[in-house]
């Protein structure tokens, strides 16, 4: 659970910033605040197309389409113009794929299974990466993975993949035995361990995959939105010396933007490496 | 687990500070799921079917090319090494041949010279001997002819001087022989004394 660390840090930062902002805004004009704090409503923007059907399209879905179009175009163009001696663009794309292949697939799963599951890991890594990065793109300003749908679908895909991988490799019985009854433990401990392992394998793994990504992206968006909303407020609505705070929050917004780029890549990496780890745990009898 | 509680805590904290919304950020909306599936499916198909296989093909080609290049270089190196070794063997052979030929030639030359020398010596000896024989034969012929000529002449001379024909041939020949013997004896004394 070390991976929740960025979230905790940001949670703390978020609350301190929010309280200071609230105090500041109250001090500024005694009640009627011009400060527009970001809300959860940001993640449920008004419907644009197909209202009332399961195919409703809002701003976030459009951002998602755009991110998908970008990642598909980039990789298709790179793939179909790929030459034996790569150019700069091809090198960049190959670097990403090579990172997934060596750093994740082969590293966690070994040569044989690494090659087998490389397409899955590459697809997941690139999808998450590009969907995350829209959070820092001007005018998009929201991560395409910041509503539960996308993380959930990806997690469900991973869930199906690691369960089938385990059943294929060890058979249904073998897979259940090796996952639910970890070897090398005194028999009576199974009373305690088996329910935990069951929860782990069948509920917590996909749930944490989805929620970790979602929470990071939501928190990231809220952080950025707070920083820039505060900047807006301090510079245009605050009096006198208070305007100086605007510079501080602008710099903070800039820093958080860079941090969000890092988090976008980190979360893509975490999602992919956990996928590899779960598959590895499924295909290997002992873990 | 911690991520979950923290996430929801952060979310609820954010939610509390605003007007209440019906939406829970952790509960998926139908459209969200629909489009997520569509998008993941599209990206998945593109990656699985088109992008990744193409990259794989190019990677394989590159690997093959590099391995081919290395193999070719190794082959060339081996060929060069083999050629060098062969050349050195040939060179050594050629040197040995040359040495042998030189040695043979020297031996042969020696043999030829020796042969010629013996042949010349034999020839010389033969010529000398022939000459000696010839000389001896001529000498004997001369001696015989001289003997008869001198006999005749002396007899004729003596007949003329004595006026008496030595018709009796036996007597004549006895006289002549005696004369010549005496003459030879005198000559022999002279030649030996000369030789001494």
């Amino acid at each position: 659970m070390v991976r929740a660390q960025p979230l905790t840090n940001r949670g703390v930062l978020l609350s301190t910033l929010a309280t200071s902002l609230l105090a500041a805004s109250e001090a500024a004009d005694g009640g009627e605040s011009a400060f527009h704090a970001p809300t959860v409503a940001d993640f449920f923007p008004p419907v644009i197309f197909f209202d009332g059907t399961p195919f409703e399209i809002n701003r976030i879905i459009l951002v998602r389409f755009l991110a998908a179009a970008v990642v598909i175009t980039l990789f298709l163009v790179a793939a179909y113009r790929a030459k034996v001696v790569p150019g700069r663009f091809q090198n960049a794309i190959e670097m990403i794929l090579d990172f997934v292949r060596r750093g994740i697939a082969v590293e966690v799963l070994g040569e044989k299974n690494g090659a087998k599951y490389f397409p899955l890991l590459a697809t997941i890594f690139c999808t998450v990466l590009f969907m995350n990065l829209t959070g820092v793109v001007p005018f998009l300003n929201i991560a395409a993975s910041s509503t539960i749908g996308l993380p959930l679908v990806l997690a469900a895909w991973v869930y199906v993949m690691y369960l089938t991988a385990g059943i294929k490799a060890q058979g249904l019985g073998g897979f259940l035995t090796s996952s639910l009854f970890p070897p090398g433990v005194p028999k009576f401990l199974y009373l305690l361990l088996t329910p935990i392992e069951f929860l782990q394998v069948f509920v917590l793994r996909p749930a944490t995959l989805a929620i970790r990504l979602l929470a990071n992206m939501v928190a990231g968006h809220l952080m950025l939105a707070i920083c820039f909303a505060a900047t807006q407020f301090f510079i245009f609505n605050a009096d006198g010396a208070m305007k100086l705070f605007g510079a501080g929050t602008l710099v903070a917004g800039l820093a958080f933007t860079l941090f969000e780029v890092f988090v976008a890549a980190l979360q893509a990496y975490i999602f992919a490496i956990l996928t590899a780890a779960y598959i590895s745990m499924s295909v290997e009898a002992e873990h | 687990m911690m991520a979950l509680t923290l996430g929801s805590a952060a979310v609820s904290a954010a939610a509390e500070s605003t007007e209440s919304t019906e939406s829970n950020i952790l509960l998926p909306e139908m459209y969200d799921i629909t489009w997520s599936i569509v998008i993941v499916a599209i990206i998945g198909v593109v990656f699985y079917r088109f992008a990744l296989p193409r990259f794989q093909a190019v990677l394989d080609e590159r690997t093959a090319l590099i391995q081919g290049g290395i193999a070719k270089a190794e082959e060339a190196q081996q060929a060069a090494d083999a050629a060098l070794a062969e050349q050195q063997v040939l060179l050594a052979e050629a040197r040995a041949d040359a040495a042998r030929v030189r040695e043979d030639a020297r031996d042969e030359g020696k043999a030829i010279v020796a042969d010629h020398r013996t042949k010349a010596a034999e020839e010389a000896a033969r010529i000398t001997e022939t000459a000696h024989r010839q000389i001896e034969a001529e000498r004997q012929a001369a001696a015989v002819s001289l003997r008869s000529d001198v006999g005749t002449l002396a007899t004729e001379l003596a007949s003329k001087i004595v006026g008496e024909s030595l018709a009796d041939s036996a007597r004549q020949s006895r006289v002549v022989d005696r004369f010549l013997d005496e003459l030879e004896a005198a000559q022999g004394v002279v030649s030996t004394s000369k030789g001494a």
Side-chain angles (χ1 to χ4, degrees), chain A residues 135-245:
Chain A
V136 293
V137 176
F139 303 111
L140 303 181
N141 289 112
I142 189 129
S145 48
S146 61
T147 60
I148 188 72
L150 191 82
L152 203 63
V153 166
L154 287 172
W157 186 16
V158 172
Y159 185 59
V160 171
M161 288 306 282
Y162 80 70
L163 289 184
T164 49
I167 293 169
K168 255 191 222 163
Q170 310 182 47
L172 182 59
F175 172 59
L176 287 178
T177 315
S178 73
S179 328
L180 301 183
F181 300 94
V185 174
K187 285 266 187 293
F188 66 90
L189 272 184
Y190 286 137
L191 278 176
L192 192 67
L193 272 181
T194 303
I196 294 177
E197 289 289 325
F198 179 85
L199 214 64
Q200 179 86 343
V201 171
F202 291 101
V203 181
L204 290 182
R205 281 181 191 172
T208 51
L209 264 187
I211 292 166
R212 181 183 300 109
L213 178 57
L214 174 80
N216 270 282
M217 289 306 115
V218 166
H221 171 75
L222 293 177
M223 284 308 308
L224 282 178
I226 279 185
C227 284
F228 291 127
T231 306
Q232 167 92 10
F233 167 77
F234 280 130
I235 291 179
F236 294 104
N237 298 86
D239 301 323
M242 291 295 279
K243 285 189 193 290
L244 282 177
F245 280 109

Side-chain angles (χ1 to χ4, degrees), chain A residues 44-282:
Chain A
F44 300 95
V47 178
I48 303 176
F49 302 114
F50 312 124
D51 199 355
T53 68
F55 298 96
E56 282 178 10
I57 293 178
N58 58 30
R59 207 177 150 272
I60 297 180
I61 304 290
L62 288 180
V63 167
R64 214 174 266 179
F65 284 153
L66 189 70
V70 167
V71 67
I72 286 172
T73 312
L74 276 182
F75 277 80
L76 276 187
V77 167
Y80 279 86
R81 279 168 45 186
K83 295 187 187 71
V84 174
V85 180
R88 201 174 291 176
F89 170 56
Q90 190 188 339
N91 252 335
I93 299 289
E94 279 190 7
M95 218 167 75
I96 297 178
L97 292 178
D98 210 49
F99 170 70
V100 176
R101 190 194 317 270
R102 285 180 211 281
I104 301 176
V106 174
E107 173 83 21
V108 177
L109 288 164
E111 281 291 340
K112 187 171 154 283
N113 278 325
K116 188 176 168 190
Y117 289 102
F118 167 68
L120 171 73
L121 297 171
T123 311
I124 282 183
F125 180 81
C126 296
T127 308
V128 175
L129 179 65
F130 280 82
M131 295 287 162
N132 288 354
L133 281 176
T134 57
V136 293
V137 176
F139 303 111
L140 303 181
N141 289 112
I142 189 129
S145 48
S146 61
T147 60
I148 188 72
L150 191 82
L152 203 63
V153 166
L154 287 172
W157 186 16
V158 172
Y159 185 59
V160 171
M161 288 306 282
Y162 80 70
L163 289 184
T164 49
I167 293 169
K168 255 191 222 163
Q170 310 182 47
L172 182 59
F175 172 59
L176 287 178
T177 315
S178 73
S179 328
L180 301 183
F181 300 94
V185 174
K187 285 266 187 293
F188 66 90
L189 272 184
Y190 286 137
L191 278 176
L192 192 67
L193 272 181
T194 303
I196 294 177
E197 289 289 325
F198 179 85
L199 214 64
Q200 179 86 343
V201 171
F202 291 101
V203 181
L204 290 182
R205 281 181 191 172
T208 51
L209 264 187
I211 292 166
R212 181 183 300 109
L213 178 57
L214 174 80
N216 270 282
M217 289 306 115
V218 166
H221 171 75
L222 293 177
M223 284 308 308
L224 282 178
I226 279 185
C227 284
F228 291 127
T231 306
Q232 167 92 10
F233 167 77
F234 280 130
I235 291 179
F236 294 104
N237 298 86
D239 301 323
M242 291 295 279
K243 285 189 193 290
L244 282 177
F245 280 109
T249 54
L250 184 64
V251 170
L254 217 71
F256 272 114
T257 302
L258 295 177
F259 183 63
E260 276 313 301
V261 174
F262 167 71
V263 169
L266 182 70
Q267 288 305 316
Y269 175 67
I270 288 172
F271 207 108
I273 204 155
L274 283 179
T275 303
Y278 294 157
I279 290 171
S280 154
M281 288 175 188
S282 291

Side-chain angles (χ1 to χ4, degrees), chain A residues 1 7-8 39-40 43-44 54-58 61 64-65 68 71-72 75-76 78-80 82-84 86 90 93-94 97 101 119-120 123 126-127 131 147-150 152-154 157 208 211 214-215 218 222, chain B residues 1-4 6-8 10-12 14-15 17-19 21 23-40 42-44 46-52 54-56 58-59 61-62 65:
Chain A
M1 286 299 139
L7 186 66
T8 21
T39 69
V40 171
F43 303 103
F44 300 95
F55 298 96
E56 282 178 10
I57 293 178
N58 58 30
I61 304 290
R64 214 174 266 179
F65 284 153
V71 67
I72 286 172
F75 277 80
L76 276 187
Y80 279 86
K83 295 187 187 71
V84 174
Q90 190 188 339
I93 299 289
E94 279 190 7
L97 292 178
R101 190 194 317 270
L120 171 73
T123 311
C126 296
T127 308
M131 295 287 162
T147 60
I148 188 72
L150 191 82
L152 203 63
V153 166
L154 287 172
W157 186 16
T208 51
I211 292 166
L214 174 80
V218 166
L222 293 177
Chain B
M1 284 275 267
M2 227 159 106
L4 184 134
L6 276 167
S8 49
V11 164
S12 57
S17 67
T18 66
E19 73 269 33
T21 47
S23 311
N24 184 328
I25 202 158
L26 286 176
L27 291 181
E29 300 280 343
M30 194 59 219
Y31 68 90
D32 195 7
I33 294 291
T34 317
W35 289 119
S36 297
I37 291 175
V38 168
I39 282 170
V40 169
I42 290 172
I43 296 178
V46 168
F47 268 63
Y48 271 68
R49 281 281 162 81
F50 304 104
L52 296 179
R54 289 280 307 184
F55 273 113
Q56 194 58 52
V58 170
L59 282 184
E61 199 180 328
R62 188 177 302 158
L65 199 71

